[in-house]
Amino acid sequence: MSEASQAGTGAGSQTQRVRDAEAALVAQMAVDLVAMHLAEITSILCATDATVHYSLEMDMAFYLETNAFAANLVLQRPAENLPLLDKALVLAQVHVMDANPHGLQWTVKELAHVRCTRLPQVPHLQLLRIPRSEHVGKLVNLVGTVIRTGMVKMMDTRRIFQCTTCNGRFGVPVECEIGYTAVKPVNCGVRVATAPGVFESNDCEGKKFKEIQVEAGSNPADCKDYQEIKVQEQVTKLALGTIPRSILILLEDDLADTCKPGDDVSIVGTVTRRWQNLTQGDRTETEIVLVANHVRVHNEQRSNLLLTDDLKAFFNAFWADALTHGRAMDARNHIVSSFSPKIVGLSLVKLAVMLVLCGGVSKVDKSGMKMRGDSHILLVGDPGTGKSQFLRYAARISPRSVLTTGIGSTSAGLTVSAVKDSGEWQLEAGALVLADRGLCCVDEFGSIKEQDKTAIHEAMEQQTISVAKAGLVCKLNTRCSILAATNPKGKYNPNQSMEVNVALGSPLLSRFDLILTLLDTQNVDWDRRVSSFILGLTDAVTEGTTTEDAPLKLWDADKLQAYLTYVKSRFHPVLTEPANEILKRYYQIQRGSDLRNAARTTIRLLESMIRLAQSHARLMFREEVTVQDAVCALMLVEISINSTGLDGVQSTLHSTFSEDGDDEYAAKGTSCAEAVTMATWTGTPDSTNPIFFEVPTDAQMYGFHGIAMVVIALSMCGSVFMVVDSVRRGKHETLS
């Protein structure tokens, strides 16, 4: 026997051994799949449409315990072994059908895929940063945010060539590494059948081939759906000052069109290289891409890594102790004081921002009309009042946040932009879309150009963005809270309206639930306190709740973030009848006031109060919106409307919490009543006898809206009363 024939025989036997090993591995994988996912395989067999792609999710951490050898092969060499898993799934369907001959309507689905999930928790498999060269060829799990999605295309999986010597045809698979193109063959690949299921080369020595084009109107079986998306690292998971990077993700078959810009995704896939411009004499451009095997979209608030069972027990015990000792408001003040502890004072602003972070409860009625649960807040203040610090700390403790500035921001940068890449238009998400189900902080809000401000009207109220750019028409979600800060135009004039002071239109201002004014007024005591705090003569812990022994330690940012996640996932407060009546009566009084601001006293005012009351109930760790929650919400709204609140605070910049929050809350009812001593009083403030008031319009000199503070004062005392409004004399209204 010649050396050539011996070499051919050796190569043939080697190839046969490789095929036998693959067949044995596929058979073992099929047995494992039947044992682990019998119900899922049965549901695939029962499906009627054989042209649809079906997926079966396999827990790789569990499979590693079941069959460590096969699982390690998949993790170490996914490009070779993931196709074997798909073959094993088809074989597993055959095994299940053979074991159940009564399944007459069952059919084996060839277009079935195994999707790997829950990779082992090891650093080189679980990535928060973009993979590098050492990850090439490995199966990894990448967590990021989708910032761009391309169009779904149809891709050929192989090209047909015809040999000019033997006129035989053979297929050449496309290669992902060179942009899903096929390399022109150099040898004839025509194979002939020598036995059933056995194919061998026909020994043709042809070197010239021509590609066979697919006929028009045909539906080739060797085609699949294909889409490219770009995923960016999560900004909240990066160190300070780190620029987030992005990577291209290749989606095939049923994975295409499963996510949209702004989605948080967890992608399991194979890291590979892709070359471009394969031209002789030119430098090749190489990039790292991820061929996805499984995509999971998780847009819900994710802080479960920080929210442990120990923290849940701590929060429950914290509030149980506060309610037992009757110090619920002290507990709330302690939590609010933990927000940005390096800023002294500004307690009302901290409370307002915490309510925005807690969020209300969104609902959809039977007609499909949606009421948003996310609140928006605008901080208007002089330079040096800590507005930017509030934005940065809020973005830090929010599980999902985007921090941007209005200087240079366009409508496309805030909403969505259309970019052209490789001759194709694609949508790229802006700040509001990336902050979906989170918080978007916009500093220097007044610096946004006027024509760009109107682009966020829909995003703030309907919480969607309708896009019609470059032939791309779609609607994206912007379900986020907006925390904005701006400086007044020149010196703030309290005699002018807010629209004039900040140069923002009424349609935009009416979308903010709260507009807080921070004026740097002269106050000797306050200046002494702030300077002592900055110089280190006092400590921020004194802002928190104190006990008889020592002051309680303020919560750190991680604990505060875990608390926000816990209350948002556990509590969905509903309005009680007394709270509902207070909010409704306050809204009616505001609408009927002669001095009302028409731009602020719209139906959005009532919706804002409902959201703030629900947020306060969440902050107070309860399922119902009580009178206390409604009163606190109205106090913030009153401060937002009149710049001076029901508690007599003349400047939100100088607001601080009392050492005894519950006593302070009880005293506010008395102070409100004393502020209207001009009123005619009849009756006693108890729960049985009504109290009659006649309040002259001169009560407006106190900065209050007449009857409004009477409503709140007596509701805090729990009394039943009747109001006689001097403006609408003779109209009696009863609140029970």
Side-chain angles (χ1 to χ4, degrees):
M1 184 179 295
S2 63
E3 294 181 0
S5 60
Q6 289 180 356
T9 304
S13 60
Q14 178 68 21
T15 304
Q16 186 62 36
R17 284 195 297 270
V18 172
R19 292 176 181 172
D20 293 342
E22 288 184 355
L25 182 59
V26 169
Q28 181 59 45
M29 289 178 172
V31 174
D32 297 336
L33 289 174
V34 172
M36 297 168 56
H37 302 283
L38 179 60
E40 291 87 343
I41 295 174
T42 304
S43 64
I44 293 176
L45 288 170
C46 294
T48 57
D49 194 350
T51 62
V52 179
H53 290 267
Y54 297 91
S55 294
L56 185 147
E57 295 185 357
M58 185 172 66
D59 189 332
M60 290 302 295
F62 179 72
Y63 190 45
L64 191 63
E65 299 176 359
T66 305
N67 190 340
F69 175 74
N72 279 316
L73 286 178
V74 174
L75 294 175
Q76 297 301 322
R77 296 199 298 271
E80 304 172 8
N81 295 290
L82 284 177
L84 299 184
L85 271 178
D86 295 344
K87 293 181 181 179
L89 181 54
V90 176
L91 183 58
Q93 298 179 59
V94 176
H95 292 340
V96 175
M97 282 193 63
D98 294 342
N100 297 272
H102 300 290
L104 301 179
Q105 303 298 326
W106 290 1
T107 56
V108 176
K109 309 302 187 297
E110 299 290 340
L111 301 179
H113 310 279
V114 176
R115 305 299 184 188
C116 299
T117 63
R118 288 194 65 239
L119 300 188
Q121 297 293 329
V122 292
H124 66 277
L125 296 180
Q126 302 287 343
L127 302 182
L128 295 178
R129 303 298 307 272
I130 295 302
R132 298 179 178 271
S133 297
E134 62 266 20
H135 299 103
V136 172
K138 302 296 179 59
L139 192 69
V140 299
N141 181 35
L142 176 65
V143 179
T145 304
V146 179
I147 61 173
R148 183 189 300 178
T149 57
M151 297 179 62
V152 179
K153 304 177 182 178
M154 188 181 70
M155 175 191 65
D156 294 336
T157 58
R158 66 172 186 165
R159 303 294 175 84
I160 306 300
F161 289 89
Q162 181 175 359
C163 178
T164 58
T165 302
C166 64
N167 291 328
R169 294 184 178 183
F170 59 95
V172 177
V174 298
E175 298 182 15
C176 170
E177 290 81 1
I178 55 176
Y180 288 105
T181 58
V183 179
K184 191 172 182 179
V186 294
N187 295 316
C188 181
V190 177
R191 304 172 67 86
V192 295
T194 58
V198 179
F199 296 89
E200 294 183 359
S201 176
N202 63 352
D203 298 330
C204 176
E205 298 181 357
K207 300 295 183 182
K208 294 183 179 181
F209 313 94
K210 63 178 181 179
E211 184 177 354
I212 304 300
Q213 300 295 332
V214 179
E215 297 179 359
S218 63
N219 184 20
D222 298 327
C223 289
K224 62 171 64 176
D225 292 330
Y226 163 76
Q227 183 187 26
E228 289 187 5
I229 65 174
K230 181 175 284 189
V231 172
Q232 178 182 273
E233 298 167 342
Q234 289 185 321
V235 181
T236 55
K237 299 295 188 298
L238 302 179
L240 185 64
T242 304
I243 299 176
R245 297 173 299 169
S246 58
I247 186 175
L248 280 178
I249 310 294
L250 310 182
L251 306 179
E252 299 178 357
D253 298 326
D254 57 321
L255 298 181
D257 205 19
T258 55
C259 54
K260 59 186 181 300
D263 286 343
D264 273 347
V265 293
S266 177
I267 300 177
V268 176
T270 307
V271 183
T272 184
R273 297 187 183 95
R274 188 167 70 171
W275 294 274
Q276 298 177 356
N277 296 333
L278 291 176
T279 306
Q280 186 175 3
D282 292 342
R283 181 177 180 178
T284 303
E285 296 182 5
T286 307
E287 62 179 346
I288 293 181
V289 297
L290 188 67
V291 182
N293 176 262
H294 178 262
V295 176
R296 181 170 64 91
V297 179
H298 43 78
N299 287 329
E300 67 275 5
Q301 293 287 349
R302 293 186 314 102
S303 186
N304 295 331
L305 297 178
L306 296 175
L307 185 58
T308 60
D309 293 338
D310 293 339
L311 279 177
K312 292 181 181 179
F314 171 79
F315 296 146
N316 291 319
F318 176 83
W319 279 104
D321 180 71
L323 295 177
T324 302
H325 294 85
R327 303 178 66 89
M329 294 297 290
D330 289 339
R332 184 208 70 174
N333 294 346
H334 179 76
I335 297 174
V336 174
S337 298
S338 301
F339 179 88
S340 190
K342 295 304 179 183
I343 297 180
V344 64
L346 279 80
S347 300
L348 292 177
V349 183
K350 293 182 180 181
L351 176 60
V353 176
M354 284 295 293
L355 295 187
V356 170
L357 294 176
C358 287
V361 181
S362 61
K363 63 179 182 179
V364 181
D365 58 14
K366 297 181 180 179
S367 64
M369 183 66 67
K370 179 182 177 182
M371 179 178 175
R372 63 182 170 93
D374 299 303
S375 302
H376 307 311
I377 182 172
L378 176 64
L379 302 179
V380 180
D382 295 330
T385 52
K387 302 185 299 296
S388 299
Q389 295 296 327
F390 274 108
L391 266 62
R392 279 161 175 76
Y393 198 86
R396 178 184 175 188
I397 66 174
S398 179
R400 183 175 185 181
S401 62
V402 174
L403 180 61
T404 183
T405 178
I407 300 177
S409 294
T410 62
S411 60
L414 290 174
T415 56
V416 65
S417 60
V419 296
K420 195 170 186 179
D421 187 10
S422 301
E424 173 191 345
W425 285 100
Q426 300 177 351
L427 291 179
E428 188 160 345
L432 294 175
V433 179
L434 293 177
D436 185 35
R437 293 188 181 273
L439 176 70
C440 182
C441 301
V442 184
D443 204 356
E444 304 294 343
F445 190 77
S447 301
I448 304 176
K449 296 180 180 179
E450 189 63 33
Q451 61 269 22
D452 297 329
K453 294 175 184 175
T454 57
I456 63 176
H457 284 185
E458 180 190 1
M460 293 183 66
E461 189 62 32
Q462 281 73 37
Q463 294 196 307
T464 58
I465 290 179
S466 301
V467 182
K469 298 181 178 182
L472 302 174
V473 180
C474 66
K475 182 176 289 187
L476 302 176
N477 290 322
T478 58
R479 296 161 295 186
C480 64
S481 298
I482 295 180
L483 177 56
T486 184
N487 294 323
K489 297 297 181 182
K491 183 175 177 59
Y492 186 87
N493 186 359
N495 298 322
Q496 295 287 346
S497 63
M498 185 63 69
E499 293 89 338
V500 176
N501 280 304
V502 299
L504 294 176
S506 298
L508 186 58
L509 287 179
S510 66
R511 285 167 165 79
F512 285 100
D513 297 81
L514 292 174
I515 302 176
L516 299 181
T517 306
L518 308 178
L519 300 181
D520 190 11
T521 57
Q522 185 178 2
N523 188 315
V524 178
D525 295 335
W526 181 258
D527 294 341
R528 184 184 301 110
R529 181 180 180 184
V530 172
S531 59
S532 299
F533 178 80
I534 294 176
L535 295 174
L537 302 180
T538 59
D539 191 12
V541 76
T542 57
E543 291 288 322
T545 307
T546 59
T547 62
E548 297 179 358
D549 299 327
L552 295 178
K553 183 180 179 181
L554 296 180
W555 294 359
D556 56 15
D558 291 340
K559 183 179 291 187
L560 208 57
Q561 181 182 6
Y563 180 77
L564 292 174
T565 304
Y566 186 42
V567 296
K568 293 187 72 172
S569 60
R570 176 177 174 180
F571 298 107
H572 299 83
V574 293
L575 285 170
T576 59
E577 187 61 29
N580 190 16
E581 196 68 30
I582 291 174
L583 297 178
K584 181 176 67 175
R585 182 58 56 89
Y586 180 82
Y587 172 70
Q588 294 172 350
I589 294 171
Q590 288 285 8
R591 292 283 293 176
S593 174
D594 294 337
L595 303 179
R596 74 183 183 95
N597 186 347
R600 292 287 293 161
T601 54
T602 63
I603 191 63
R604 289 174 179 162
L605 175 64
L606 180 60
E607 294 178 349
S608 299
M609 293 187 296
I610 294 174
R611 281 190 293 269
L612 293 173
Q614 292 173 338
S615 302
H616 194 272
R618 275 181 169 171
L619 185 63
M620 297 291 290
F621 213 72
R622 52 191 173 210
E623 280 283 2
E624 290 185 343
V625 178
T626 63
V627 172
Q628 189 181 56
D629 301 318
V631 169
C632 292
L634 296 192
M635 288 179 179
L636 288 175
V637 171
E638 190 75 15
I639 293 171
S640 175
I641 293 177
N642 303 315
S643 299
T644 56
L646 294 172
D647 54 355
V649 176
Q650 298 301 317
S651 174
T652 54
L653 185 69
H654 302 157
S655 59
T656 57
F657 287 135
S658 171
E659 293 184 359
D660 194 331
D662 294 272
D663 292 344
E664 179 190 27
Y665 174 80
K668 285 178 181 178
T670 305
S671 64
C672 290
E674 292 176 351
V676 286
T677 53
M678 296 180 296
T680 302
W681 293 69
T682 305
T684 57
D686 54 40
S687 58
T688 56
N689 299 320
I691 303 178
F692 298 87
F693 292 94
E694 186 171 346
V695 183
T697 55
D698 294 340
Q700 302 291 342
M701 63 181 290
Y702 286 91
F704 305 112
H705 279 264
I707 304 299
M709 59 181 172
V710 181
V711 173
I712 296 178
L714 293 182
S715 64
M716 295 171 69
C717 302
S719 58
V720 183
F721 56 90
M722 182 179 295
V723 176
V724 181
D725 192 342
S726 61
V727 178
R728 295 174 292 170
R729 184 172 299 279
K731 184 176 181 180
H732 296 263
E733 300 178 357
T734 304
L735 172 63
S736 59

